[in-house]
Amino acid sequence: MSMTVRTALQMLYLIFAYLCVTAIFPHFVVGKTLKLKNKYERFLVYTVLGNFYVMYVVFALQLLKISYPITVYLFTVVPCLLIKIKLEKIPVTEMFGGFFHTIKMFVGGQLKLRAYRDLRKPVWKERRRKLGKHIYNVYIKNLPDAILLVLLVVAVFWIYGSGHLIYFGYKASDMIVHNYWINNLSENKIFFTGVYPYGYHVAVYFLHVFFRIDTYVLLRLLAFIQPAWSIFMMLCFLRLLCKTKYMPYIGAFMYTISSLFTVNTYSRYSAPLPQEYGIMFILPAVYAGFAFFREQRIEKRFAVSKRSFVYLVVFAMSFAMTITVHFYGAMIAGLYCVGMAIAYIPWIFRKPYFGKVAITCIISVFVAVLPMGIAYATGTPLQESLAWGMSVIEGDEPKNEGEESTEESTEEVDGEELTEESEYEDPELEEGALIGRDGQLLIHSVSEDENADTDTDASIDADEEASLDSDTAVSASSSSSSSSSSSASTSTSTSTGTSTSTSTSVDSREASRLEEAYGRVATRYFNNRYGKILGRIMYRADRFRNHILLSVMSDINGNNTYVFVVVFYTPILIAIGLAVMLIKKKDEMYGGVLIATGIIMLLMNIVLASKELGIPSLMDPNRCSVYFAYIIAVATPLVADGIVYLFLDWDLKKRIINAVSLVLTVAFLVSLFRYNLIRERFNEPGMELNESIICLTDIIHSNKNFTWTIVSANDENRMVYDKGFHYELVNFIWGMEHIGAKGRVQIPTETVFVFIEKIPVDYFRSYWGSGQTISEEGCLHRLPNNKGLQCYQGEHRWIVMSRAYFWAQKFMELYPNEMSVYYETDNFICYKIKQNPYRLFNFAIDYDYNLREYAKEIEDWSEEEE
Amino acid sequence: MVSRRSFLAITIIMVIICVMFQYVQVVRSSENDYFDNPYSDLKLPERHEWQPIDYKEAERTGIIPWEDGGYVLFIGDDTSPIGSVVSQWASYSKRQMYARKSLEGFTVAKFKSPEFIILDSNYINFDKDLSRLYDLTDKGISIVFCNLPSVEVLEANDSLMDFMGINYIKEPSVTVEGMKLFGGFLLGGETIYEPEKKEDERRQDLDLEVPWIVTGGGTKTYMVGIMDDYYKKYAFKNEYFPAIIWRNSLGNAQVFCVCGDYMNTTGGIGILSAMIYELSDYSIYPVVNAQNTLLVDFPLMADENREEFTKIYSRTALSFQNDVIWPTLISLDEKYKLKYTCFMSPKYNYQDPAEPGYDFYEFYLKNFNERGSELGISLEHDDNVELADKLYYDTGYYDTIAKRYVCSSAFLNINDIDKLEEAVQNPHVKHVKTIACAEDINTPILSYINDDITLQCLTSSAKNLTYKRDLMLKSVETALAYDNAEMNFSDVYWPSGDGDHWENIYNDMSSSLATYWRPFRVFARTSLTESDQRVRVFLNLGCEYSREQNCISLKVSGRDGNTGYFMLRTHGEEIVSMSKGSFEKIEDDAFLITLDDDETEIYLKPTDTLGD
């Protein structure tokens, strides 16, 4: 079976598994008892319920140290059944009595299969009829809706899923760390490296245990599930709040396929990172908040009704999960709630609302923090990346997260202790940095400030007026290039080694100079006094556009002025919201939705520009832009929906308004295609060669567990957990460095596979010889002795791979029958060595280069000295 | 009261049942000719065994008769036990052998390049010859050390230690607890020669005093001494256990070393075959494919040792033989699918007054015939009588009973091998075509005694299979797919201790069959005459083979229309198909090939690559 077919089948199974968690199981348990508005609300609530349930089941089992496949099955299934029995008041005894009676009748021959079939025929017929009717009502009757939904699913798959059928490796730096943490859950070691929001990890662990999907497969393919569900949640959210039927698709398509956003706002979706997993819980929490106000308002009673209680519960769960999965998601949900509180200020401080809302918020935070609190109280320290997050909030110059993710792990391989010290992330990279195999940064950092400023300065110094235009052009092109194809900006950042994401404040003196320059241009058209003010405003606006908005919004064919439209979302939404509240009393809650969305837009602008505004930064701007894009995609259809609703709903029937929304949606889609605003699908190579994953998968499937070891560069390290063993290639080579055959490198498994890249990948860092093949020249360099990933980066990887290859050649000469080529392509070779596990081979041999005097280096040094 | 109708029905049923049971016996008796030996009619190939070139003649004339890589060079005395083993192995594997007593004067330029070199260390002057050996390995010629020089010689010569892949010698001599033979070298898989139970201690006859040699990088070890106590005490790794048989890689050449006297016995032929297999990516050679079980002095026709027998078993020897021994032998036969060759002895101890009887002769012939067993003549006898006298005494007995049954096989005491020519003049022995006798290092396992009679030496014993004999069994199975196992019943009739009591012998036999012979079930179970036919074919066979990618072409000569058998050993490859023949898997990477044609193509498929 080819890897593409295997991946496609795995993807299908994963979709089924996640649908089970987020739709099928919850529907089975509460489907009959929980009265929800429509299918969108069902899906939204079920997603929350399903995720919350599995997360907290695993949390409980982990904290009790009894998390094993059997307990996971038991504690997942049994409570579900009990809840169902309780909610539906199922007479279990009678049901079983009837079942056994039927069996008895079958066994006794009183009931034949045919008779039973005839007996059940009317029931099945009725079910078929209902299903047909449902399909007709949902899909045939709403054909445009169904078509748009299908198109959206196809688009989501094309953009986020199809690339995974081509490139199989992990696509983010810290996937290995997450893999490691999830692996530790199998050993009941939650919070292994400290207290950390583990919601994402326990969810993945649940999928791994319950559906028997290998963790490394999950961590490859969840990258499709995460954006898909975030978009589906957005669609459900908008469908539930918008007054028009098709406008929500504008937001969903805008976020899915348009290139209106910069690459860095969605490139993180190429890997299943916790932050992106948390995005799917933001809008359900917000929706539950809106729904609570709506229901409470409708009920007009001071006692909590069942329905509004359900929304409060959903809110609590959803908000708790935003905290549990990633704090940033909770911040955005919190900001939206702030907007909601402002929008519903006439009601929120009323007794029935405030108390319930406050208690729910407290409970949700408590529920979220509880597992972490228990761990902390029992002596587990905070995980270091939390400190990194805190430093961002506190406004300190953040250390790179990667520096803190250092871990020291010791594995025991069948009595053989393999000690490895791995910094799983490049210190020069931020968490989740996504880099193509050629070393190009896919995530464009917000902070191109310095370069842009330099450009600006240079331009203004040269010729003030002309320079202002050129400044715009330069900045725009800088941003646009970063958004459409990251290569240009990236190569700068990587080559200069300035890929840090934090923006540096422009020196105030320089700022004044620039303001003056803008002022001088303005005074040509205005008097001196207003000209200076205008100049200052122009300068600030220009900076805001070039350095803030353009980090989120991309230009359209070189025109970046339109990005200011986003700034006007806030006044428009607030104005429409207020108008709706004042004019359309019956829909005052809808007005609140618009106002809240307007406020979150404003708040997001402020958070994003916090550094510019000189206020404490809530989150890293680069991360903020991811959420901002998501919120813009939510706000855009709401703006359109609000306008259509406000101006057309007076006289026209709903059907006509829907038709208008359909026309607008179609027009939007057509414009995207017409103006070539369609983003490219995720099709970047992973950090591993495809061949590595192909070999790994085959090894796992065709060898008995724990009878094999893979010797490779890092990435397979965590992937082989609970299947086999891994040995670091660099440690392997170092084991015979300087001492040759006198050393002792032994691997205590029957089969050993050695992965060697013939053309070493640029693992998060390119170098002067990127793309070159391994060679004797590579062997002539001193073996890198850096700790962690650095020994596999840039030139070091080339040296290590060259050494490994020549070791393999020599070893094959010594053991021609015991070593064979397992798999080979132009880029990659995998060797298989079969050894006697009771008399292990000593892999330490003299392969010439390990005993050389590094002639080339000595030569270089002498040249340098000269 | 039974009604008449019921009575009639019962009677009819009883009659039917009676007829059903009796009919089978009646038909079998009438249809079978129990006095006919089906094996005596086997068509035996004519003698024209594969002959090596007489290297002594070549040495005299100075004309080198072989091509580069076309011979095996042996440095040592070809009349010594090691020389005999090497000579036998070369002959069986159809290789030319050139024996010299010294490496001095040997040059590749003059004598052409050998396939590999086998050394008896006693004939090597390491001070002078080591550089020559290095030169030879540089040319890609592999070397086998059939024994090691003394520890002093090794320790004094670091270069020699490097040559042999010895990292260091921890102790000049150490007593190991047992030996461990790793799988993949000899057929039969991994075997531990260390008694677990007290009763197994008598099996241990391997030399446990060995130098503690620790091998270095680039080596592969096939057999080690076990030091469990040491391991437990000092958490010592397996890799530091004393190496017994190992290999060191020197560029394209390999240096094999055997520490101990394992090459001084016939078992050495299998070790050499395994080394050849290790040297190349595959190995194919002719084999016999015969597994014989010889019951010597069974049945005994005289009621000997009556007093002692009655004391031990409460019955006479003949009655015990018929009622106890034979049924248990049948059960073993059925369980392990054996094929017995029973060597009848009219009398074993000619000082015993009991005379051979005739009562059970036909009984045994019937049984043997029905079970496919063969009846042969036992020429074994007690020490108090000579072979000629035995034959003289037995003539009267044979004259009376064996007029029609022609025995084509006989068992001979190894001490009487010189008297065989005389023995075959006896009218009752003259039809014998093959003789089985005990193993002797100077006697080839399989050979012609004269143009008509072949000799098949014993290779194992069912009674007391010691570790050394098991190693030899594995070795001979590896080299020849052949086993000639003996169960001597004279000890049962004339026991010298408790160990000779039937129950103990049966236990031994049963456990040995269940364990030590188990890996070789693929090989054919044969009577001695059947085996004789295969041996003659094997000795006649010559073969040439070549490989092109995944296809091995095999050309066979000397088959004479008979079925030829070959062993194919690969490294991580499996046979997908073959033309004009069939194959069976013996174990991982080992296949038995049956060939009814002179040419075949064998297609292999690697198992060590992705997706296979």
Side-chain angles (χ1 to χ4, degrees), chain A residues 814-815 817-818 822 836 840, chain B residues 182 218-220 239 249 278:
Chain A
L814 297 178
Y815 296 93
N817 295 324
E818 289 75 17
Y822 187 65
N836 179 356
L840 304 172
Chain B
F182 295 121
T219 61
K220 183 181 178 184
E239 289 68 39
S249 298
E278 283 289 297

Side-chain angles (χ1 to χ4, degrees), chain B residues 189-222:
Chain B
E190 184 178 287
T191 315
I192 295 172
Y193 296 116
E194 184 187 10
E196 282 182 10
K197 299 172 194 166
K198 194 156 178 64
E199 56 264 32
D200 287 339
E201 282 176 8
R202 63 195 166 86
R203 288 184 190 274
Q204 184 58 278
D205 59 347
L206 295 170
D207 185 6
L208 300 179
E209 286 282 327
V210 293
W212 191 333
I213 290 171
V214 178
T215 51
T219 61
K220 183 181 178 184
T221 309
Y222 306 105

